[in-house]
C-alpha cells in the first residue's frame, strides 16, 4: 500500500509538471489570462481576493504541485499501481470537473467551467487529460520497476 502511495505521489509530481506545461502554453497563446492556481491562492490569502499579493506566484506553484502530488498518491492507492491510461484520463477529467464545476467557483475566483472563457476551459480540460495520461504512465512504470526488483 505504501509503495502505491509513494509511486502515485511521484507520478503526481511528474504529471503536474506535464500539466503545467500545457497551462503555460495556453497562457502564452492568450487563452488563459491568469493561471487558476494563482487566482485561487490570491483569493485565499488575506486582503482583497482579486488584488495581486506578494509571493502568490511561488505559493500557487507549491499549492498546485501539492494538490497534484496528493491526487497522484490517491490514484496510486486506489488503483494499486495498475491504473490504465483510460482510467488516468478519466481521473484527470474528474479532478477538473470536481474543481472547476465545484469548489473553485465557490471561492469566487473563477466562474464555473461552463461560464468561464472558452480558451481557459479548453486549456484546463486538456491539461487535466495530460495530467491523467502522465499519471497513469508514471504509476505503471514505477510499479513495474518495483515488481522487477522484488
Amino acid at each position: 500500500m505504501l509503495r502505491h502511495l509513494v509511486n502515485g505521489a511521484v507520478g503526481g509530481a511528474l504529471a503536474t509538471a506535464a500539466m503545467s506545461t500545457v497551462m503555460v502554453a495556453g497562457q502564452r497563446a492568450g487563452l488563459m489570462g491568469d493561471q487558476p492556481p494563482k487566482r485561487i491562492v490570491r483569493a485565499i490569502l488575506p486582503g482583497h481576493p482579486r488584488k495581486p499579493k506578494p509571493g502568490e506566484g511561488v505559493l500557487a506553484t507549491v499549492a498546485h504541485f501539492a494538490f497534484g502530488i496528493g491526487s497522484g498518491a490517491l490514484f496510486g492507492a486506489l488503483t494499486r499501481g495498475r491504473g490504465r491510461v483510460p482510467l488516468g484520463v478519466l481521473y484527470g477529467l474528474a479532478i477538473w470537473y470536481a474543481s472547476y464545476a465545484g469548489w473553485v467557483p465557490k471561492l469566487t475566483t473563477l466562474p464555473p467551467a461552463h461560464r468561464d472563457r472558452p480558451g481557459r476551459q479548453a486549456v484546463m480540460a486538456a491539461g487535466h487529460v495530460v495530467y491523467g495520461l502522465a499519471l497513469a504512465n508514471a504509476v505503471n512504470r514505477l510499479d513495474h520497476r518495483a515488481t522487477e526488483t522484488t
Side-chain angles (χ1 to χ4, degrees), residues 28-125:
R28 289 187 178 163
L31 300 172
M32 294 280 290
D34 279 341
Q35 294 285 339
K38 185 185 282 187
R39 301 238 339 234
I40 292 165
V41 165
R42 185 180 291 162
I44 293 170
L45 290 173
H48 192 280
R50 290 193 173 86
K51 289 191 178 186
K53 300 180 178 98
E56 69 182 19
V58 171
L59 192 54
T61 300
V62 169
H64 190 230
F65 271 87
F67 189 84
I69 290 167
S71 297
L74 180 61
F75 181 81
L78 291 174
T79 63
R80 296 184 179 168
R82 292 176 180 81
R84 301 293 172 237
V85 168
L87 182 60
V89 170
L90 287 173
Y91 186 72
L93 286 172
I95 292 169
W96 172 74
Y97 184 79
S99 298
Y100 293 94
W103 66 270
V104 170
K106 288 185 173 134
L107 294 174
T108 67
T109 57
L110 291 166
H114 68 278
R115 289 197 347 246
D116 200 0
R117 55 194 292 181
R120 185 170 18 241
Q121 290 176 22
V123 170
M124 294 309 295

